[in-house]
Amino acid sequence: MRIATWNINSVRKREQRVRDFLERSDVDVLCLQETKCTNAQFPDFTDTGYEQAHNGGSSFNGVALLSRVGLDNVSTEFGQPGFSKDLSKEPAVEARAIGAECNGVTVWSLYVPNGREIADPHYTYKLRWLHALADYAAQGPEKLCLVGDFNIAPRDEDVWDRSYFNGKTHVTPRERACLDELEKAGLTAATDLIKDEYTYWDYQAMRFPKNEGIRIDLQYARGITAESARVDRDERKGKEPSDHAPVIVDYS
């Protein structure tokens, strides 16, 4: 079973890239993040032979699943908290998660909150969101695959310059401890098979040509075994690419 995750950074802007990727990649399930559209605006990919499910509410966030091996029991909540800058308002659950059963495996496409800055309430929200994900994983289905843009670099080696991130999010011990919670829940970091490759390069400062990237697009699995993993770096090239590259894992 081949599962890919890709922060597409606007699916409407890059619909043809998705179509081309599906045609040549031979993936069974494609998980998209940052689709940046409502459900009504999400493109129809069913002519490609893939079923689809999308969770989006605005021009921010948004996640989707495209599957050619079944798409059953679709869900958009695993117990995650909501977020609101206005403390007088009820926190809204953002469109950051969608899951379904695909060939007997429960697959979730996840767009973990960025965290912004360590002193920002969004950082606390990020940690709470990840704790809820670990709680779900601990009690969740036997065959489980959590994939997406985690906005965390698991190791210092997963950023091009650790000193650049001093005092910033994505590399803090508390964030990385949340990834450890997933492993304590019985999941394995399938994308740890990828060595010395990044998955995200900022558009600014010529980060991609200089290979100044970070590895934040991850896959965690239980009940299935990762045999190989790779980054489709070519998808970061060409005209108007996403700032992320697809990450593909083959499971047995």
Side-chain angles (χ1 to χ4, degrees):
M1 188 172 180
R2 177 170 291 176
I3 300 176
T5 181
W6 191 5
N7 181 318
I8 195 64
N9 192 15
S10 179
V11 69
R12 289 181 293 168
K13 189 173 183 178
R14 299 181 173 87
E15 177 181 348
Q16 190 57 49
R17 276 187 175 266
V18 173
R19 289 181 171 276
D20 293 343
F21 178 78
L22 290 174
E23 184 175 352
R24 65 180 173 77
S25 65
D26 196 32
V27 294
D28 295 303
V29 182
L30 173 60
C31 303
L32 298 174
Q33 302 88 40
E34 261 199 296
T35 55
K36 295 184 175 180
C37 64
T38 66
N39 291 337
Q41 295 169 327
F42 188 76
D44 185 359
F45 293 105
T46 55
D47 61 306
T48 64
Y50 289 78
E51 298 178 77
Q52 65 183 52
H54 179 255
N55 178 21
S58 68
S59 58
F60 298 98
N61 306 322
V63 285
L65 289 168
L66 304 179
S67 173
R68 66 180 185 185
V69 291
L71 198 63
D72 302 313
N73 300 319
V74 175
S75 177
T76 59
E77 295 189 25
F78 56 79
Q80 69 268 43
F83 179 75
S84 175
K85 290 183 179 179
D86 188 344
L87 298 180
S88 67
K89 294 183 179 180
E90 183 72 20
V93 174
E94 298 179 310
R96 294 181 174 275
I98 190 165
E101 291 179 24
C102 306
N103 192 29
V105 180
T106 300
V107 180
W108 282 87
S109 178
L110 305 167
Y111 180 40
V112 175
N114 178 280
R116 300 174 185 170
E117 298 179 359
I118 294 173
D120 194 292
H122 209 261
Y123 178 75
T124 303
Y125 165 54
K126 179 180 189 174
L127 298 178
R128 291 176 58 230
W129 203 95
L130 287 161
H131 288 318
L133 181 64
D135 288 343
Y136 162 79
Q139 305 171 47
E142 179 182 348
K143 293 184 178 182
L144 177 64
C145 198
L146 305 178
V147 313
D149 179 355
F150 278 75
N151 273 311
I152 303 171
R155 308 165 303 172
D156 287 351
E157 296 87 345
D158 295 321
V159 299
W160 86 90
D161 181 356
R162 179 61 182 83
S163 64
Y164 175 85
F165 288 87
N166 289 343
K168 296 182 174 70
T169 61
H170 290 53
V171 297
T172 65
R174 295 181 71 186
E175 290 168 293
R176 288 174 172 174
C178 291
L179 298 182
D180 292 340
E181 286 187 33
L182 295 179
E183 298 197 38
K184 290 176 182 176
L187 284 85
T188 299
T191 37
D192 276 359
L193 293 172
I194 297 170
K195 305 295 183 184
D196 303 321
E197 288 192 79
Y198 305 127
T199 64
Y200 165 83
W201 301 260
D202 198 307
Y203 290 127
Q204 299 180 6
M206 298 291 288
R207 296 291 187 211
F208 184 66
K210 292 187 275 189
N211 198 31
E212 295 178 347
I214 56 179
R215 187 173 74 94
I216 56 176
D217 300 272
L218 311 173
Q219 298 199 27
Y220 285 82
R222 177 177 66 213
I224 54 177
T225 302
E227 299 292 346
S228 64
R230 64 183 178 90
V231 179
D232 188 348
R233 199 172 185 274
D234 287 343
E235 273 297 343
R236 183 58 177 81
K237 303 175 182 178
K239 184 179 180 181
E240 295 187 337
S242 170
D243 43 6
H244 294 249
V247 179
I248 304 166
V249 179
D250 286 321
Y251 294 94
S252 61

